Structure formats: C-alpha cells, structure tokens
Amino acid sequence: MRAILAGYWISLTAPCLLFFDEELNIDIDDKRYQEEGTSKAKRVRCLLKQTDRETALRVLGALWQYKTESMPEQAEQSRNDYLALISRLENADTNEAKGVKPVQAWHGVDWPSLIAEMNEMKSLPPQLRGFRFEAWLAELFSIFKLAPRSSFRNTGEQIDGSFRLNDEFYLMEAKWHQKRTSAVDLHVFEGNLNECSERELLPLVRCYLLGWFADNVSPEVKSRLPGTVSGHGFIDFVIDDVAVEFAVRKPTAARSSVSATVNSTEVKKLMKHDGKALLVLFDFSDTPYSEEQIESFRNWPSLGRGNHRKSAFNVVYFFVEKRRPLALGKITKNIRIS
C-alpha cells in the first residue's frame, strides 16, 4: 500500500475526521498512525499506507464524498487524480495491496449485559429506576465515544446530562415511560424550550458551555457595575477571559424587553470587564429586530462621573426567521468604545 499511495495529498479539515469514529469505526487518534506526525493529514496518510486495500477504498471513498460536498470546485480539479488512485488500488496485485486491519474506535460491546441491565431496571421503584437509567445512558454514550456528562442541578432544576455528536453538544432529558412518548408531549417539550425566559435558559446554556469548555467556564463572576449602591454586579459567564452576558425576549414579550436601554446593565458590566466581552441576545418572538435597530446598541450607556476605563464588546442577536421548519437568523455587531 505504501508504494501505491506515495505522493498522494489529502486536504483535510477538522469536521471530516468525525466520520472515522462514527461511520468507519476507525480510531484515527491511535499512536500507530502518528509515525509521520500528529496533523490530520499525516495521520490519515499513515493509516492508508498501513491498512489493507478494502479499508483504504472505504476511507478514500468517504473522504472523496466529504470533499465533493464541502469543496466541490477543488474536488472537480482533483477528480482525475482521485480516479487514477482508485484504479491503481483496485487493479493492484495481492502482495502490493496487502496491509493490516485498522484499529477500531469501538469494539467488543457487551450487548447482552446492556440489555440485561435495562431489563433489571423495569422492576425498580420509579425514582431509583430513573437514576439507574441516567447511568445506563451515560455508559452507552461512553461506549460510542459521545463524551457524556452527568446530571446538572441549578436552583431546583435538573438537566439530566449531555453528550457530543458531530462536534455538537446536546442536552439530554431522560424519563422512563412504560409506553412510547406521544407526539403531543414532545411538542409541549419543544414549546417549553422555545419559550424559555432568561432564568430558565441560563441553566441549559451553562450545561452546554460546561460540556464544550469544561473547567474554563466560570458562572456568576463578580464584576464592576457603576451606578449601583455596592458598585458591583455579576457576569453570567466568563469563558477563559471572555465575559458573556445573556438577555432573552419571550414570544409574547414587548420589543423593549431586549433593547439597548433595557439591557444597559449588561452593557455596563461588559464595558468594565478587563478583557473581551460578548452580549448574546435571544429573541423567540415573531417580530424580530432589523439590523438597523440592533445598531442602537452603539449608543452605549453612561457610566456616570469620573474617568472610566471602558472596553469594547460584541453583540450577537439570535432570532426566529421561520417556525415551521424552525430556522434561526443571526446579526452580529462589534461595539467600539471611543
């Protein structure tokens, strides 16, 4: 295989390596594929040089499909080279095309034990059964390398956990029912998510951020807030050195509930943060702002008397463009402070 693949160049980006685990069941992070270096392209080339013909054809086919979908112009330019390589692989003699089977990303799953444990849960009391079910799901997600996180509680609310799929984190709500959940209940659950207030949304966002940034996330960080009796407030989250404040407009709320005037407190905290800062606005209504209206955040509030040191901040505004199917829009602004 080394002779056949010599000189063949593969252009890779991070997302295209995700299917090695999920679709090809190949552990591309294994040390034996790092002999020529740890970069994405070097690991894949090393795999292709070592592996058997059948695996090489599967990997190249998956890479080619990714390239044609994400970079069609580049794919068209290299189509002849790709077809020539595939032809060489398919027509090579047995000795030239031999190689070793790849390292599997997941193998040896003990399905009987997982099923037996699921059946045992059926006889447990409801509360204990719920806790066992969460642990069982975490074990299942771990087997398939979905990076599960355990349940998270915040002021009486609980999020059962999260997992990662295709480089995206998903919040998980685990609930045991004797019968299949009805479509009506699922629509109610979807509606609850779409109508969250800021207080209800923050625990969900916190769980997501913990899944993505882990220990680099600090919630409720004390900050300076001019114009208050104490002189300080609390920033929703600090990620590394980036301060993040959230504001939410519910579907039936007035436009003024998310505005430069109403959110002046959030803006002041961000302006006094010594580092990068971001104001995130969620608008679940059917009457979103225009880009010109979001420009009003450039009229930043006064910090009162004195020579205040002020920092620039960014605004990102998420809104509902269409309900069915759900489509979201986004407007971003960089607010420079003179």
Side-chain angles (χ1 to χ4, degrees):
M1 291 296 293
R2 288 183 180 273
I4 298 175
L5 292 161
Y8 184 70
W9 175 259
I10 303 169
S11 177
L12 299 173
T13 55
C16 75
L17 292 187
L18 295 174
F19 59 72
F20 276 86
D21 277 5
E22 297 164 10
E23 297 181 23
L24 301 177
N25 190 20
I26 296 175
D27 186 1
I28 196 63
D29 296 320
D30 191 85
K31 289 185 178 179
R32 71 188 66 187
Y33 303 133
Q34 300 178 17
E35 293 178 358
E36 301 177 9
T38 58
S39 71
K40 303 177 187 70
K42 288 180 179 178
R43 278 182 283 151
V44 175
R45 283 200 296 272
C46 190
L47 161 69
L48 291 172
K49 291 176 181 178
Q50 295 179 18
T51 197
D52 60 293
R53 172 166 42 195
E54 179 185 354
T55 301
L57 288 170
R58 281 199 304 130
V59 171
L60 289 171
L63 287 171
W64 180 251
Q65 181 179 352
Y66 171 83
K67 190 167 186 176
T68 56
E69 293 174 354
S70 61
M71 298 174 284
E73 293 182 2
Q74 294 182 28
E76 188 58 36
Q77 293 173 3
S78 57
R79 179 178 296 276
N80 291 336
D81 291 337
Y82 169 74
L83 294 176
L85 175 64
I86 296 301
S87 178
R88 288 184 61 190
L89 276 172
E90 291 175 339
N91 296 306
D93 59 47
T94 304
N95 288 330
E96 191 178 18
K98 67 181 179 180
V100 296
K101 292 292 184 181
V103 179
Q104 293 183 323
W106 46 270
H107 55 84
V109 179
D110 189 358
W111 294 113
S113 294
L114 286 169
I115 295 171
E117 188 176 353
M118 169 67 78
N119 289 329
E120 289 175 6
M121 283 186 271
K122 296 177 181 179
S123 61
L124 295 175
Q127 186 175 16
L128 180 57
R129 184 173 59 204
F131 289 134
R132 284 281 296 275
F133 185 45
E134 288 179 31
W136 185 88
L137 286 173
E139 180 183 357
L140 182 67
F141 293 153
S142 294
I143 289 172
F144 292 97
K145 298 187 177 182
L146 296 180
R149 294 185 67 91
S150 58
S151 59
F152 167 81
R153 286 181 174 82
N154 183 73
T155 319
E157 296 187 44
Q158 175 173 315
I159 298 167
D160 291 336
S162 66
F163 62 91
R164 185 179 65 193
L165 177 65
N166 293 333
D167 214 27
E168 295 284 347
F169 281 89
Y170 295 82
L171 300 180
M172 179 181 70
E173 177 67 21
K175 195 172 183 180
W176 185 290
H177 287 278
Q178 293 294 339
K179 298 180 180 180
R180 179 177 296 181
T181 304
S182 68
V184 173
D185 290 337
L186 292 175
H187 286 310
V188 170
F189 179 67
E190 179 190 20
N192 289 338
L193 289 178
N194 289 338
E195 297 182 10
C196 280
S197 66
E198 182 176 344
R199 183 176 180 180
E200 295 164 335
L201 187 63
L202 281 179
L204 302 178
V205 173
R206 181 181 300 183
C207 187
Y208 176 86
L209 293 177
L210 287 170
W212 187 270
F213 296 103
D215 295 335
N216 293 324
V217 177
S218 299
E220 297 295 319
V221 176
K222 191 174 182 179
S223 66
R224 287 166 289 178
L225 181 55
T228 60
V229 175
S230 63
H232 71 262
F234 292 89
I235 293 173
D236 290 333
F237 300 98
V238 174
I239 307 171
D240 288 330
D241 68 334
V242 181
V244 183
E245 277 285 307
F246 288 90
V248 176
R249 179 189 176 195
K250 298 185 72 171
T252 57
R255 281 196 170 203
S256 58
S257 59
V258 171
S259 65
T261 303
V262 171
N263 301 123
S264 61
T265 298
E266 287 88 348
V267 171
K268 287 179 181 179
K269 286 185 284 185
L270 296 177
M271 290 171 64
K272 294 301 294 180
H273 177 68
D274 188 14
K276 298 177 182 177
L278 175 65
L279 175 61
V280 181
L281 307 174
F282 292 104
D283 189 342
F284 295 110
S285 74
D286 292 322
T287 55
Y289 284 114
S290 65
E291 185 164 355
E292 291 73 21
Q293 290 169 318
I294 296 298
E295 282 282 338
S296 65
F297 279 91
R298 297 194 185 279
N299 302 320
W300 41 271
S302 170
L303 297 178
R305 295 181 178 179
N307 186 19
H308 292 276
R309 180 179 177 182
K310 302 179 286 290
S311 299
F313 63 95
N314 291 292
V315 175
V316 57
Y317 171 66
F318 294 99
F319 59 94
V320 178
E321 283 189 333
K322 188 168 59 173
R323 292 284 180 189
R324 300 288 181 186
L326 183 63
L328 301 179
K330 180 180 70 173
I331 298 174
T332 59
K333 298 289 180 182
N334 176 253
I335 312 299
R336 298 186 179 275
I337 310 295
S338 57

